[in-house]
Amino acid sequence: MSAAAAKAAPALSPARPVAIVAGAGRLPLLIVAALEEAGRSCRVLALRGFADPATRRRADAMVDLLDVRGALDTLRGWAPAGVTLAGAVARPSPAALLNTLAAYRNRDTLRALASGGDDHLLRGVLALLEEHGLHVLGVRDLAPGLMAPRGRFGTLGPDAAAEASVEAGRALLASLSPHDVGQAAVVASRRVLAVEGPEGTDRMLARARTLARRPLGLGRPPAAMVLVKRAKDGQDLRVDLPAIGPRTVTRAAAAGCLGIAVGAGDTLVLDRTETVALADRLGLFLLGLPPSPEPSR
Amino acid sequence: MSAAAAKAAPALSPARPVAIVAGAGRLPLLIVAALEEAGRSCRVLALRGFADPATRRRADAMVDLLDVRGALDTLRGWAPAGVTLAGAVARPSPAALLNTLAAYRNRDTLRALASGGDDHLLRGVLALLEEHGLHVLGVRDLAPGLMAPRGRFGTLGPDAAAEASVEAGRALLASLSPHDVGQAAVVASRRVLAVEGPEGTDRMLARARTLARRPLGLGRPPAAMVLVKRAKDGQDLRVDLPAIGPRTVTRAAAAGCLGIAVGAGDTLVLDRTETVALADRLGLFLLGLPPSPEPSR
C-alpha cells in the first residue's frame, strides 16, 4: 500500500468500494489505479458523452449526465464508502448541470447558484449527493499522490528573480482568495500581467503571451515571468481542483514563462511524467508552494 | 472662482503660472479652462507628436518627448507654481520615457523601474522633475471639477442587484490594491468576469463581452454586470489617474454592463457632458463611489 493511499484509509470503511463518477480525461483511471494499488475496490460510473473510451471500457455502469435519478440509484446500489467526481475536474457545462438539477431543486435557488461563481454551482451538486446519503470525497483524499508535491518537482528550480515573481503571484492570489475569481495569475517581476477569470488558464496564458510580445517596458520581454496557480483558501477541493498538465506547460512556455508554481497538495498534476518531461525539455521549472497558514479543506 | 479651483489655491503661489505638460487628448485644454476660470495664468508645454492640434495652437512652447533637457529648461524658465503632466494620463509609451530618462539616471535603476508596474516607472519621472525643483501637481489638485463626483452622475442609478455587483467589484479592487495590477474589474453578481491587467480597460471590456456572449451560467447573459474602476489605495494620482470617457461607456454597454462605478474624486471623467449623455442614451448608470477609509493622495 502506498503512503498516499494509506493516508486516506482511516476515513473510509475498507469493506465498501469507492465510486468514481467519471467525466472526460485520464483522471478517473488514474484514481482507479491509485486506489487498486492500495488494495481498495472501485466502481466506475461513466458519464456518457464525456468519459474517455478507456474509462468506458473499465466502467461498471454508464449514465447520461442528465439522468440524475439513474445516477443516484446506481450509486446508492453500490453502497460505496465514498463517491468522487473525477469528471467535475474538467468542469462540465454549468448549463447542463442546471438542467440536471432542475428536477430536484427550486428554480430560483438554481438561478442564484448559477449567478455566483463555479463554486456556488458545484457546491449545489455536492449538497444534492450528500442529501442522498452519499459521502463525497476529493481526489486529494483518495489519491494524494496525484497532487503537486512541495518544492521543485522537475529538474529545474527558479532563480532569485523568478522566486520574487512567484512570491508576488502567491501574495496576489492570497488577496484574491475571498473573491469568487480565478486561481491563477501571470507575474513578471512585480508586475502582474494577467489574472485568470472564467476564461481559464489557457486563455489567460494566451493574453500574457500577447502582452509579453508587445512589451510595455524595455522593448524586450518582461523579466522573470511565471505562472502561479493554486486553490483559494477554503475552496472545496472535492469539486473544483486546480490542475496543470502537459498543455499548461506548453502554453506557459509559449507565453514566455520561466516556470510554473502551484499549490502543493491542492493542485492536481495530470500526467505527471509527461508534464515533468515536457517542462524539463522546454526549460521550465515546476514548483510546489507550501500550503497557506490556514489550509483549505 | 469656482469652488473646485478655490480648493487647490492654498497650495499654490497665486503670482506664478501653472505649467501644463500636454500630451494627447482634450484633457490639457480642459485643465487650462478650469484654471483660467479660476483666474490663474497657465503655460502649456506641448509634446510634439502627442498634443492635439488645438493644444498645439494654445501652447506657449513645444518640445519633443525625448528632449528632457529642453523641457526642463523651458519649465524652469517659467518659474511655475506647479507643473502637471496631463499627457501622463494617456500613458505615454514607457519605452520612450525610458529612453528619455536614460541620459539622467543609472541604466540599472531604469531597468528596475521598468520591470515593475507603471507606478514605478512614472514615479521615476516625477522624481526627476522634483529633483529639478519643480512642484508636480495632479489634475485633482488643479481642477477637481474634472473628477467623478460622489453618487450617481448620470440620470440612472443602480438597482439592488447592480449595487451588489458594484460592492463585490469595490471589495475586489480593494484587495488588489497592494499589488501592482489593474484598477478595474467587470463583475456580474458575485462572479468576477475580468480583472484588468496592463492590457487596459478597453481590452478587458472586450474580454468580458466575449465571456458574456458565451455564458457560463444559465445560457443567458450574466446578471447585473458592471464595470468598477478606481485608484489603488496610496496611488500617486499626479501621474496615473484612472479615467473614463465616452469610449468607456460605449464599450461597457457593448459588453453588456448595466453601468459604471468609479472612485469619486480619484477618477477623471473625460468629456463629462458627452459621457453622461451617452450613458443616459445607452441606459447605463454612472456612479461615484465614496473614497476608501484611508484616502489616497
Side-chain angles (χ1 to χ4, degrees):
Chain A
M1 184 182 282
S2 77
K7 257 198 211 167
L12 295 180
S13 156
R16 291 155 66 197
V18 171
I20 295 138
V21 180
R26 290 175 52 191
L27 182 61
L29 291 190
L30 291 172
I31 297 171
V32 169
L35 288 167
E36 291 185 340
E37 191 205 341
R40 190 168 256 299
S41 70
C42 298
R43 294 274 189 286
V44 176
L45 179 60
L47 296 172
R48 194 173 282 120
F50 291 89
D52 285 4
T55 306
R56 294 201 303 270
R57 282 194 294 274
R58 168 64 183 79
D60 299 278
M62 185 113 72
V63 288
D64 284 326
L65 182 62
L66 302 185
D67 181 13
V68 176
R69 172 69 57 201
L72 284 171
D73 286 350
T74 303
L75 289 172
R76 284 182 298 187
W78 290 339
V83 177
T84 193
L85 303 175
V89 171
R91 297 203 188 188
S93 148
L97 281 175
L98 278 173
N99 284 333
T100 301
L101 288 166
Y104 292 84
R105 293 186 161 273
N106 180 286
R107 191 84 196 164
D108 290 339
T109 309
L110 290 176
R111 286 188 192 282
L113 284 172
S115 67
D118 289 347
D119 277 13
H120 296 91
L121 183 63
L122 291 166
R123 276 199 284 269
V125 176
L126 275 200
L128 179 70
L129 290 170
E130 300 206 316
E131 275 169 25
H132 286 78
L134 295 160
H135 178 40
V136 183
L137 297 163
V139 178
R140 188 159 85 147
D141 308 310
L142 294 169
L146 299 178
M147 311 301 289
R150 273 203 206 200
R152 71 168 75 170
F153 55 99
T155 302
L156 297 166
D159 62 11
E163 260 178 12
S165 294
V166 167
E167 172 50 28
R170 193 206 55 73
L172 173 78
L173 295 179
S175 292
L176 285 173
S177 197
H179 307 282
D180 200 355
V181 64
Q183 312 160 121
V186 175
V187 180
S189 297
R190 289 161 302 187
R191 177 196 279 267
V192 179
L193 289 186
V195 176
E196 184 178 327
E199 75 279 9
T201 304
D202 286 353
R203 281 171 192 271
M204 179 191 61
L205 284 169
R207 193 157 80 240
R209 182 184 190 181
T210 305
L211 288 167
R213 288 180 171 204
R214 196 189 53 189
L216 305 165
L218 277 170
R220 51 173 194 169
M225 189 168 155
V226 301
L227 167 65
V228 186
K229 184 165 189 175
R230 66 181 308 167
K232 289 190 273 273
D233 299 332
Q235 181 171 331
D236 192 330
L237 296 173
R238 295 174 300 171
V239 286
D240 186 22
L241 203 58
I244 63 164
R247 194 175 59 188
T248 321
V249 172
T250 307
R251 301 219 173 180
C257 289
L258 300 181
I260 301 174
V262 297
D266 74 12
T267 306
L268 189 66
V269 183
L270 290 162
D271 304 316
R272 167 93 64 106
T273 308
E274 193 188 337
T275 300
V276 169
L278 198 54
D280 285 351
R281 184 147 56 82
L282 295 173
L284 270 68
F285 68 81
L286 296 172
L287 186 67
L289 301 170
S292 308
E294 265 201 69
S296 53
R297 195 201 138 82
Chain B
M1 184 182 283
S2 75
K7 258 199 211 167
L12 296 179
S13 156
R16 292 156 64 196
V18 170
I20 295 138
V21 180
R26 290 176 52 192
L27 181 62
L29 292 190
L30 292 171
I31 296 171
V32 168
L35 288 167
E36 290 183 343
E37 190 206 341
R40 190 167 257 297
S41 70
C42 296
R43 294 273 189 289
V44 176
L45 179 60
L47 295 172
R48 194 173 281 120
F50 291 88
D52 284 5
T55 306
R56 293 201 302 270
R57 282 194 295 276
R58 167 64 183 79
D60 298 278
M62 185 113 73
V63 287
D64 283 326
L65 181 62
L66 301 184
D67 181 13
V68 177
R69 173 69 58 200
L72 284 171
D73 286 350
T74 304
L75 289 171
R76 284 182 298 186
W78 289 340
V83 177
T84 193
L85 303 175
V89 172
R91 298 205 188 185
S93 148
L97 281 174
L98 279 173
N99 284 331
T100 302
L101 287 166
Y104 291 85
R105 292 186 161 272
N106 180 289
R107 192 83 197 164
D108 289 339
T109 309
L110 291 175
R111 287 186 192 282
L113 285 171
S115 68
D118 289 348
D119 277 13
H120 297 92
L121 183 62
L122 291 166
R123 276 199 284 270
V125 177
L126 275 199
L128 179 70
L129 290 170
E130 300 207 315
E131 275 168 25
H132 285 78
L134 295 161
H135 179 41
V136 184
L137 298 163
V139 177
R140 186 160 88 147
D141 308 309
L142 294 169
L146 300 178
M147 310 302 290
R150 273 203 207 201
R152 72 168 74 169
F153 55 99
T155 301
L156 297 167
D159 62 11
E163 259 177 13
S165 295
V166 167
E167 173 49 27
R170 193 206 56 73
L172 173 78
L173 295 180
S175 291
L176 285 174
S177 197
H179 307 282
D180 200 355
V181 64
Q183 312 161 122
V186 175
V187 180
S189 296
R190 289 160 301 186
R191 179 195 279 267
V192 178
L193 289 187
V195 176
E196 183 178 326
E199 75 279 8
T201 305
D202 285 353
R203 281 172 192 271
M204 180 193 60
L205 284 170
R207 194 158 78 240
R209 183 183 190 182
T210 305
L211 288 168
R213 289 180 170 202
R214 195 189 54 190
L216 304 166
L218 278 170
R220 54 174 192 169
M225 189 169 154
V226 301
L227 168 65
V228 186
K229 184 167 189 174
R230 65 182 310 168
K232 288 190 274 274
D233 298 332
Q235 180 171 333
D236 192 329
L237 296 173
R238 295 174 299 170
V239 286
D240 187 24
L241 203 59
I244 63 164
R247 194 175 59 187
T248 320
V249 172
T250 307
R251 301 219 172 180
C257 289
L258 299 181
I260 302 174
V262 296
D266 75 13
T267 305
L268 189 65
V269 183
L270 290 161
D271 304 314
R272 167 94 64 108
T273 308
E274 194 189 336
T275 299
V276 169
L278 198 54
D280 285 352
R281 184 148 54 83
L282 295 172
L284 269 66
F285 67 81
L286 296 172
L287 187 67
L289 301 170
S292 307
E294 266 203 69
S296 53
R297 195 204 134 81

